[in-house]
Amino acid sequence: MRHWFPEAKYLAYGWGNRNFYIATHPGPGMAIDALFPSSSVVFVEGLSKHPKNALPPDAHLRWICVSRTAVWRLDAYLGDYLRMGPSEDPVSLAPGPFPGSRFFASTGTYDAFHTCNTWTAAALKFADLPVSDEGVLFAGQVMSEIRPLRSCPE
């Protein structure tokens, strides 16, 4: 990822339905289509400033203390969701909506029961944090899972 984001000190990730997430103006038909098993995409934004200074003020950030091993496991989880091309680089699909952001092809399948929030909870679980991804569909459910985790100073 370094060559895609050479100036980045931080990377912000997202995951979702490919057609809906990449669309400039997604419509209700795309939202309905996303309820059924479909292709997904990984969103990556390279941040040159600390996330609290780079993301919108209304972004909900929760700083969680994790071990180095957890970070490595999270990195592996994210890597597993990136579709690699012949040169073993992630397959870039389109520029993202923000400067320094891109959409990459994903190996995962998105649907109503495996949403971006399910994906996020599963990533934290894979990193060996005490969270569950069972039945997680909405952002509030992810926040409920991480609320008991130890906070770290920003």
Side-chain angles (χ1 to χ4, degrees):
M1 285 296 202
R2 178 59 57 198
H3 77 281
W4 286 105
F5 308 99
E7 304 298 317
K9 293 181 181 176
Y10 304 90
L11 295 176
Y13 287 86
W15 180 83
N17 172 273
R18 182 181 291 187
N19 293 334
F20 189 90
Y21 210 170
I22 290 179
T24 306
H25 302 289
M30 287 180 156
I32 291 168
D33 287 346
L35 297 173
F36 301 95
S38 51
S39 297
S40 62
V41 66
V42 175
F43 168 79
V44 183
E45 182 178 5
L47 304 173
S48 57
K49 296 186 265 181
H50 192 281
K52 72 176 180 180
N53 299 322
L55 297 175
D58 62 343
H60 296 282
L61 299 176
R62 174 83 158 83
W63 300 101
I64 301 168
C65 292
V66 298
S67 68
R68 185 171 297 205
T69 301
V71 172
W72 290 334
R73 290 180 59 83
L74 185 58
D75 182 64
Y77 180 89
L78 295 169
D80 285 347
Y81 268 84
L82 288 166
R83 183 169 316 259
M84 299 301 182
S87 64
E88 291 302 310
D89 281 335
V91 176
S92 176
L93 298 175
F98 311 115
S101 67
R102 293 205 70 75
F103 289 106
F104 295 93
S106 175
T107 59
T109 301
Y110 185 95
D111 63 60
F113 300 104
H114 190 246
T115 69
C116 54
N117 300 302
T118 315
W119 179 82
T120 300
L124 297 171
K125 181 178 177 179
F126 188 86
D128 222 12
L129 296 175
V131 300
S132 173
D133 59 344
E134 294 274 326
V136 172
L137 300 175
F138 304 106
Q141 292 172 293
V142 176
M143 294 305 280
S144 291
E145 287 294 323
I146 66 171
R147 194 168 289 116
L149 302 178
R150 188 167 64 97
S151 292
C152 278
E154 302 169 21

